[in-house]
Amino acid sequence: MSIESSGLREAKKRETRQLISDHATRLFMAQGFEATTIADIADAARVSKKTVTNYFPRKEDMAFDHQDAFVASLAEAVAARPAGESALGALRRAFEAGVATQDPVIGFAGPDFSRMIHESPTLSACLRTLHDQREEALAATLAEVTGSPLDDITARTAAALLAAVHRVLFRRIQELTLAGRANHEIAAVVAEEAACAFSLLEPALGHYAVA
């Protein structure tokens, strides 16, 4: 197979995956996650049920199709920090940038998507798991950049504290979204609250994991 053919094949796979995810999310928001079947999604995307499950082994993966980026986000921000910046500083700066762009990864998912998660026990549980996985990825990166073992209690505790701030702020954005506030209003509120939340960690983590 030529490189060009391989590239076209991969592009087609990405298109099919996105098509399935888009139709699934639309159906989840319209009729509820639990009420939507694989058959419903397959019919909407005009593919077979087997194709749907080949691309998405779990139904919730179609709702959280950017979950890998979410899980890696905190670890990547720390790994990419410039010289002289602490892990806390890097994460604070990244979150501020996310608020400025109203990034869905930090919670700006819109009212329909936020309601879909809020009303689904399955998706709510899945989101909690993704938050846990994000914390674990951050702990591993903190251990790596500080030259500590993976089970280092300092790295684990720092990751738990830093991830907790992000978890609280994510939930806050969801709450304001479900209350009917517009994104620009939410951004203004959360920018102030984030400054307060991150400042609470400054005495303990301001000089931890400085690049």
Side-chain angles (χ1 to χ4, degrees), residues 4-211:
E4 183 178 358
S5 297
S6 176
L8 289 172
R9 191 170 188 176
E10 289 304 311
K12 179 61 176 175
K13 286 182 178 179
R14 288 193 297 271
E15 288 176 5
T16 301
R17 179 184 176 86
Q18 191 62 54
L19 176 71
I20 294 169
S21 175
D22 289 347
H23 279 290
T25 302
R26 177 178 59 79
L27 288 170
F28 295 156
M29 291 190 297
Q31 59 193 41
F33 177 80
E34 274 76 14
T36 302
T37 66
I38 297 297
D40 292 336
I41 297 164
D43 288 345
R46 296 187 177 181
V47 298
S48 68
K49 288 194 291 184
K50 183 173 176 57
T51 297
V52 173
T53 54
N54 280 344
Y55 279 95
F56 297 97
R58 302 185 311 161
K59 195 169 73 166
E60 51 266 44
D61 291 338
M62 287 179 263
F64 294 113
D65 58 328
H66 299 297
Q67 58 185 283
D68 291 344
F70 178 85
V71 168
S73 59
L74 304 187
E76 288 178 347
V78 169
R81 72 203 187 289
E85 186 171 56
S86 67
L88 172 61
L91 291 172
R92 182 172 189 162
R93 178 171 52 81
F95 188 85
E96 289 171 350
V99 171
T101 60
Q102 298 170 15
D103 188 350
V105 172
I106 69 167
F108 288 90
D112 292 337
F113 193 87
S114 297
R115 190 172 299 106
M116 174 188 76
I117 297 172
H118 179 72
E119 294 177 350
S120 167
T122 302
L123 293 181
S124 295
C126 184
L127 179 59
R128 288 192 293 272
T129 297
L130 292 176
H131 277 293
D132 290 342
Q133 291 173 354
R134 186 165 68 160
E135 178 184 323
E136 291 166 8
L138 176 59
T141 294
L142 289 173
E144 180 181 354
V145 301
T146 57
S148 306
L150 285 176
D151 61 353
D152 178 57
I153 192 63
T154 301
R156 286 185 174 184
T157 303
L161 293 169
L162 292 163
V165 168
H166 285 82
R167 194 183 299 236
V168 167
L169 293 171
F170 188 100
R171 187 181 302 122
R172 181 64 168 145
I173 294 170
Q174 280 195 310
E175 289 172 355
L176 293 170
T177 299
L178 292 172
R181 303 286 288 274
N183 273 358
H184 72 277
E185 295 177 307
I186 298 170
V189 171
V190 172
E192 288 190 16
E193 294 181 344
C196 176
F198 282 110
S199 293
L200 289 172
L201 299 185
E202 192 67 39
L205 297 176
H207 301 288
Y208 175 70
V210 175

